[in-house]
Amino acid sequence: MSSSVISRTRFSVLDRSRTREGHPPAEALRDTVALAREAEALGYHRFWVSEHHGVPGVAGSAPTVLAAAVAATTRTIRVGTGGVMLPNHRTLVVAEQFGVLEALFPGRVDMGLGRSVGFTDGVRKALGRDKGDAEDFAAQLGELLDWFTGASPAGVRARPAEGLTVPPFVLATGEGARIAARAGLPLVIGDLRGREKLLRGVDRYRSLFRPSRWAAEPYVVISGTVAVAGTEAAARRLLVPEAWALAHSRTHGTFPPLAPAEAVEARTMTARERELYASGLAGHIAGTADQVAHELEAVLKETGAAEVLVTTSTYDRTALLDSYRRLAALFAPGR
């Protein structure tokens, strides 16, 4: 059953182009583009794609390229990145890429920006970066935004970005909430499993927020897994492949393609794997439509968020789409 707080909240999708056992990475990218068309038809507000490098389980390594493919096959949904990891790139190049996107798809492009660097030493070396580069995120963010306003001190113009408006969002990890607040930018914060940490970040952001040309007041997007199915057990099965991938990454050092739920459930796990797997299943918003509506209403009232960015991944794409349909029936009934 829908509620007033849910019906006045925007719902958006972040698809991480997760690869699946037995399927080539190219299929994951095509699945992302197909899901974007479905999300648009269902009434979702934005569709974002992610940036990962050297990860066997993720095909999306070039988010602005993938965003262009998504935008080219949709008409109305906002398209963007969740996010471009700014420490990995020169700000001029990022500005140029988003300038090209906005020039091609005016009024539909979002610029979600994160501060993570590569997951492993090898990836960071290949990118020419190290862990310390994330500490410069606030300065990098300011430099990037200056390219759009023509305020860069370099004497170079970012074309076609200069003069265009591409809404920036900050993905909060650690210091991200404070940086977003002081820059006067919208905040994307997760995950929904760590409710106390989530609320602390939102409160810090609101208390420190300074209005800017990009946002007159705080704007909070909460992100995380939301799984809806006909039964509580079916919704839980949607969580199984990602929970196992997380447990595998923590015990084997690599983040693998998604395995079918039944294959995961039949596995013999070590005690440590079982512990991590159980942790990966816990705390998400998952269940029947009524159960999910109740949980969503609670977290929206707690956080005062204006938007939910749904990040659900699973092996079964049919079940995933069914989950997004059932969720859409909560915020846009009758669509």
Side-chain angles (χ1 to χ4, degrees):
M1 188 72 75
S2 183
S3 73
S4 59
V5 68
I6 291 174
S7 62
R8 66 172 179 262
T9 300
R10 289 169 167 168
F11 281 78
S12 299
V13 176
L14 167 62
D15 192 72
R16 287 174 293 147
S17 306
R18 292 288 275 113
T19 58
R20 297 181 292 157
E21 285 186 1
H23 298 262
E27 187 174 330
L29 297 172
R30 290 193 291 268
D31 285 343
T32 292
V33 175
L35 182 60
R37 290 195 294 268
E38 298 280 2
E40 179 174 78
L42 290 169
Y44 285 88
H45 183 62
R46 310 178 204 276
F47 191 94
W48 283 5
V49 296
S50 63
E51 175 183 336
H52 295 275
H53 300 284
V55 179
V58 182
S61 55
T64 53
V65 176
L66 185 52
V70 168
T73 55
T74 54
R75 295 185 305 108
T76 57
I77 196 167
R78 296 195 65 85
V79 177
T81 55
V84 164
M85 296 301 146
L86 208 47
N88 291 339
H89 309 284
R90 294 291 184 185
T91 59
L92 171 61
V93 174
V94 175
E96 289 171 338
Q97 290 175 347
F98 279 101
V100 168
L101 283 171
E102 176 62 22
L104 290 171
F105 309 103
R108 290 180 57 205
V109 177
D110 299 322
M111 187 165 57
L113 304 162
R115 64 192 292 264
S116 298
V117 290
F119 290 141
T120 67
D121 289 339
V123 169
R124 288 190 290 271
K125 184 176 180 181
L127 291 169
R129 300 291 184 265
D130 59 45
K131 287 182 178 180
D133 286 314
E135 302 307 313
D136 297 328
F137 180 66
Q140 293 164 340
L141 188 61
E143 188 177 276
L144 173 63
L145 298 180
D146 283 347
W147 288 115
F148 287 90
T149 62
S152 171
V156 176
R157 315 299 277 276
R159 307 184 193 281
E162 188 176 313
L164 297 180
T165 299
V166 182
F169 295 73
V170 172
L171 279 60
T173 55
E175 284 290 282
R178 181 184 62 81
I179 292 168
R182 292 189 171 166
L185 300 181
L187 174 75
V188 182
I189 187 167
D191 68 30
L192 297 174
R193 294 185 299 166
R195 203 63 56 84
E196 286 187 17
K197 184 178 179 183
L198 177 71
L199 290 171
R200 282 199 306 273
V202 169
D203 289 345
R204 184 183 308 122
Y205 168 70
R206 287 207 170 98
S207 66
L208 295 174
F209 185 85
R210 298 193 296 217
S212 72
R213 69 186 302 273
W214 305 99
E217 57 189 28
Y219 188 89
V220 175
V221 183
I222 54 174
S223 69
T225 295
V226 181
V228 197
T231 66
E232 191 173 355
R236 183 185 179 278
R237 281 176 67 80
L238 281 165
L239 308 176
V240 164
E242 190 74 46
W244 169 247
L246 184 63
H248 185 279
S249 72
R250 296 280 298 277
T251 51
H252 295 77
T254 59
F255 195 66
L258 295 173
E262 56 270 20
V264 174
E265 291 170 334
R267 289 189 70 94
T268 301
M269 300 184 192
T270 67
R272 178 62 174 155
E273 286 172 342
R274 176 68 59 184
E275 176 191 353
L276 290 167
Y277 171 63
S279 174
L281 288 171
H284 302 288
I285 295 180
T288 64
D290 284 346
Q291 289 171 321
V292 166
H294 178 73
E295 289 192 59
L296 278 173
E297 189 167 335
V299 72
L300 288 168
K301 286 178 176 176
E302 281 182 319
T303 60
E307 188 170 340
V308 179
L309 182 67
V310 183
T311 64
T312 311
S313 296
T314 195
Y315 182 91
D316 185 339
R317 299 293 296 189
T318 302
L320 178 65
L321 180 56
D322 181 65
S323 175
Y324 277 118
R325 284 182 179 136
R326 290 173 185 268
L327 177 58
L330 296 179
F331 68 79
R335 186 181 173 95

